Amino acid sequence: MPVTLSIHHLKDFDAWLKVFKENPPPPVGRWRVFRGADDRNRVHVVGEVAASEVQTVKDFLASDRMRDVFRRVNAMSTAPVEFVWLEEQTP
């Protein structure tokens, strides 16, 4: 199952959370938010999606609306948001 990971280095978690709740992830897959145990302003949003849903998520993330959201998020961050796509490997 493909996984997308967005990595945020925030100035203010509460301000980011408000924007996140107003602009939730797409309604496909399973989405979770992880907050750093040692750095409470480091946040990872993890989405697990079916292979057939990857393009839907990529289109959602590339939409004009989300580009605007990411501009806002980057303004409240110490580093630009980073997106990573991962595929699980069997050792």
Side-chain angles (χ1 to χ4, degrees):
M1 177 172 282
V3 172
T4 184
L5 173 67
S6 62
I7 303 164
H8 300 274
H9 301 273
L10 305 167
K11 296 174 189 171
D12 180 345
F13 173 80
D14 293 324
W16 172 85
L17 186 60
K18 181 180 179 195
V19 172
F20 181 81
K21 287 181 176 181
E22 291 169 352
N23 301 280
V28 297
R30 177 177 180 223
W31 296 88
R32 295 178 288 165
V33 174
F34 293 88
R35 193 172 182 191
D38 295 330
D39 179 355
R40 304 301 280 166
N41 285 322
R42 182 179 176 96
V43 173
H44 293 217
V45 179
V46 179
E48 297 176 65
V49 299
S52 62
E53 298 170 329
V54 168
Q55 193 59 52
T56 299
V57 173
K58 287 183 176 183
D59 291 345
F60 175 85
L61 295 174
S63 70
D64 289 340
R65 176 175 161 245
M66 290 311 296
R67 278 196 297 260
D68 180 58
V69 168
F70 297 137
R71 276 193 291 274
R72 292 171 51 206
V73 167
N74 283 335
M76 61 177 65
S77 301
T78 61
V81 63
E82 179 182 357
F83 292 95
V84 180
W85 280 92
L86 305 168
E87 293 179 348
E88 185 173 0
Q89 299 296 301
T90 304

